[in-house]
Amino acid sequence: PTVETEAILANVLRGEGKYIEAEARAKESVDLMSRISPRLNTLYDRYPSEALASILVAEGHYRDAQEINRRLLHSIEGHAVGDQGEVWYALAREAALAGRKSESFACLEKAVKYGFAPAGEIVADTDLKSLHGDSRYEAILAKARDAEAKEQ
């Protein structure tokens, strides 16, 4: 199987609730990708790491997921700004789920700064529910809405 196939299979297994098998497949795909491409420069290259992080979140292993996403962020730094925004957003969600609000706000701020600005998605994201009602959340949401308006 290819790296992408392993990552896709891992996500399918996650969807079926087979987390142990999913995590093993995702780790295998990340390992294979790291041997093929030491720097993750494209969305295709990132997919195995993103799959593993999402599986770890589903299992409640937020710190492990954040470690994967921080490595991913480091590997794409200086390449695609929008991609950095997506990774910062994942980090914000993981921190919020782990109950680390200040860290979540800092990551969410960076997500918007680096181009992740769909305000509707941010509002609807239940992983960020613990941030609602905080003035920092409202300020970041206003920045996201401003960024969206500038794009239109």
Side-chain angles (χ1 to χ4, degrees):
T2 66
V3 173
E4 185 177 34
T5 303
E6 286 290 325
I8 291 169
L9 181 56
N11 271 330
V12 169
L13 291 167
R14 178 184 60 113
E16 294 175 351
K18 299 176 181 175
Y19 298 121
I20 294 171
E21 292 173 68
E23 185 177 338
R25 291 279 187 172
K27 284 180 178 178
E28 177 68 23
S29 67
V30 168
D31 182 55
L32 287 168
M33 183 52 75
S34 69
R35 286 187 266 148
I36 294 168
S37 176
R39 286 202 55 90
L40 306 174
N41 297 325
T42 67
L43 179 60
Y44 170 77
D45 294 345
R46 289 181 15 217
Y47 188 70
S49 293
E50 290 172 340
L52 178 57
S54 71
I55 291 162
L56 292 169
V57 166
E59 293 177 308
H61 301 296
Y62 307 122
R63 286 207 185 268
D64 293 337
Q66 282 192 303
E67 183 180 326
I68 297 289
N69 278 318
R70 289 200 184 280
R71 279 187 293 195
L72 180 57
L73 186 63
H74 179 74
S75 72
I76 63 172
E77 217 167 32
H79 295 285
V81 173
D83 291 348
Q84 291 180 47
E86 289 179 26
V87 178
W88 279 113
Y89 186 71
L91 287 165
R93 292 173 66 216
E94 292 153 6
L97 287 167
R100 297 189 309 275
K101 283 186 176 185
S102 292
E103 181 182 342
S104 181
F105 282 121
C107 292
L108 189 56
E109 179 88 37
K110 288 182 181 178
V112 172
K113 175 184 174 184
Y114 286 102
F116 187 89
E121 187 174 331
I122 294 169
V123 170
D125 193 330
T126 58
D127 291 347
L128 300 176
K129 188 176 181 178
S130 65
L131 307 181
H132 293 203
D134 189 296
S135 61
R136 295 173 289 181
Y137 176 79
E138 297 305 324
I140 294 168
L141 198 54
K143 288 178 184 178
R145 288 184 176 127
D146 288 345
E148 276 185 316
K150 288 177 185 176
E151 288 179 11
Q152 295 177 354

